[in-house]
Amino acid sequence: MATVFEQALDLGEPKRLLIFGAIAESGSIGAAARVLGWSQPALSQHMNALEKDLGVTLFDRTPRGIRLTTAGQLARIRAGEVAASVTGLRSDLAKAFGLGGRNVRLAGFPSFVIGPLAAALGRLEANAGSGTDSPRHHSYEVSEAEPPEALRMLDDGAIDIAFLFHHEDETPPELAGHMTVDLGADHLDLLVPERWNRAGQIKHLSDVAELPWIMGCVRCRSTAERLCRTAGFEPRTRHITDNPGAIQSLVSNGLGVALLPRSARRWSQISGIDPIALQEAGARRVIAMIPDGLADSSEVVDLIDALRAAAVTNSGTDTVTDAATDAEAANGARATSTATDGYSGS
């Protein structure tokens, strides 16, 4: 039995169907010849051969161009499908292998990769090729790395863009020959097991001074310990993990409390947690560090735009009442201070 490919080849040269589609779209053989850069006689020969292969008349010639027959109208639909399939393949290959464009290597910390970065890259892929102004032929590679490691990778030339964070009371990182783009504030919430705070009595860091703590990466742990000392106590660390999901799971199961960036719960939430917004916990600034020579490339500009579009919280500072509404809607948080501004311009 003939395969679908053998059957298709028996109908003649597939390119002829695409040529017919161009003629049908242009409205005449002459107009199509000018668009394609072919001669009219050559196009006419291809159409005669295609009609012979299909055994039907596809169009009638008129003084004003062509008029599609019923068979021609059906063939035009199929020609469009073939054209979309061919161009779609080219687009798929470009996105998968970076054909026709720069391959940009990225590194970011876990909560950023799993949330805003994944959303932004998904947005770029969904929009690629959908319009004349949409991103095309962009290719990105993602590595997960905490800020110190990502900064070393950038300095060594192993990556093209590093996504970093620093607490608002820390000096922003710098690297010669590179510029930074501020992507906004990511506020820290105090996570406590729901059953530990049913009466809503926890309103300050000092209220959890006697409870066990779950710490994150080295820099996150340093920030948490500094904030606890400022609040007047030394945290009793029981568990350490740099996995945001693991931190939430440990809290949910009553194994301790933790400070976690709001973005980590914005994209992946575990029940059984009471997230409390504390003004004293502050926020960390999220930045993209980019080589000066790469900053204006379309791949980078499109990525930064997509990251801003991926924000899910309002930017700027809101009142305490607005913060409660925003936090409860996005995180189920009990807000006691200011709201968050997400990965957006500031």
Side-chain angles (χ1 to χ4, degrees):
M1 178 180 293
T3 67
V4 64
F5 301 105
E6 292 172 327
Q7 294 174 18
L9 290 172
D10 284 343
L11 293 177
E13 172 60 52
K15 181 179 287 187
R16 289 173 181 158
L17 185 59
L18 296 174
I19 295 172
F20 164 73
I23 293 173
E25 184 176 279
S26 300
S28 71
I29 293 179
R34 288 190 293 272
V35 171
L36 299 176
W38 290 34
S39 68
Q40 290 190 44
L43 293 187
S44 295
Q45 290 177 9
H46 277 295
M47 290 305 95
N48 291 336
L50 180 60
E51 289 180 327
K52 181 178 179 181
D53 290 336
L54 296 176
V56 295
T57 299
L58 296 174
F59 54 81
D60 297 320
R61 292 173 173 79
T62 71
R64 295 188 176 182
I66 64 169
R67 182 175 60 247
L68 295 181
T69 63
T70 300
Q73 293 172 1
L74 292 174
R76 181 178 184 178
I77 294 174
R78 293 299 188 182
E81 293 173 351
V82 172
S85 180
V86 172
T87 56
L89 172 61
R90 184 181 297 275
S91 177
D92 290 343
L93 292 173
K95 287 184 287 186
F97 301 104
L99 304 178
R102 186 194 310 270
N103 183 53
V104 183
R105 301 162 299 170
L106 315 171
F109 48 96
S111 62
F112 184 80
V113 171
I114 198 174
L117 184 56
L121 294 177
R123 183 184 183 90
L124 287 175
E125 181 170 352
N127 291 344
S130 62
T132 55
D133 296 328
S134 63
R136 294 174 182 269
H137 307 311
H138 293 354
S139 177
Y140 303 94
E141 293 180 7
V142 179
S143 298
E144 187 178 281
E146 294 294 344
E149 181 186 357
L151 195 58
R152 286 194 296 271
M153 293 170 69
L154 185 63
D155 193 25
D156 292 340
I159 59 172
D160 300 304
I161 301 177
F163 294 102
L164 315 169
F165 69 81
H166 63 279
H167 197 265
E168 56 190 1
D169 64 359
E170 297 175 329
T171 302
E174 295 181 349
L175 188 61
H178 294 70
M179 65 171 291
T180 59
V181 176
D182 188 2
L183 297 176
D186 193 4
H187 290 251
L188 300 179
D189 286 337
L190 175 64
L191 305 189
V192 300
E194 239 175 16
R195 59 182 179 274
W196 290 6
N197 194 38
R198 295 194 186 282
Q201 73 277 15
I202 299 177
K203 298 181 179 180
H204 303 283
L205 278 177
S206 57
D207 294 333
V208 296
E210 301 302 321
L211 298 178
W213 275 77
I214 302 160
M215 294 293 184
C217 68
V218 174
R219 296 189 75 248
C220 298
R221 180 177 181 178
S222 175
T223 296
E225 290 174 341
R226 185 174 68 254
L227 292 172
C228 289
R229 292 180 188 125
T230 300
F233 68 96
E234 190 71 28
R236 183 162 54 92
T237 301
R238 291 290 300 276
H239 310 283
I240 299 176
T241 174
D242 59 3
N243 185 318
I247 291 175
Q248 293 185 69
S249 183
L250 290 169
V251 172
S252 176
N253 283 281
L255 298 176
V257 301
L259 284 173
L260 194 67
R262 195 165 297 173
S263 66
R265 299 196 72 247
R266 187 180 309 144
W267 305 91
S268 175
Q269 296 188 30
I270 294 178
S271 61
I273 295 174
D274 190 2
I276 305 170
L278 301 178
Q279 185 174 9
E280 60 190 305
R284 63 186 189 182
R285 304 301 304 187
V286 179
I287 64 173
M289 186 166 287
I290 309 166
D292 292 338
L294 192 60
D296 294 330
S297 69
S298 62
E299 294 87 350
V300 173
V301 172
D302 288 338
L303 176 59
I304 296 300
D305 287 345
L307 282 168
R308 298 198 191 287
V312 296
T313 57
N314 295 326
S315 61
T317 302
D318 301 319
T319 63
V320 173
T321 302
D322 290 337
T325 302
D326 177 51
E328 288 173 4
N331 308 305
R334 186 193 310 279
T336 63
S337 58
T338 56
T340 163
D341 56 320
Y343 296 113
S344 57
S346 55

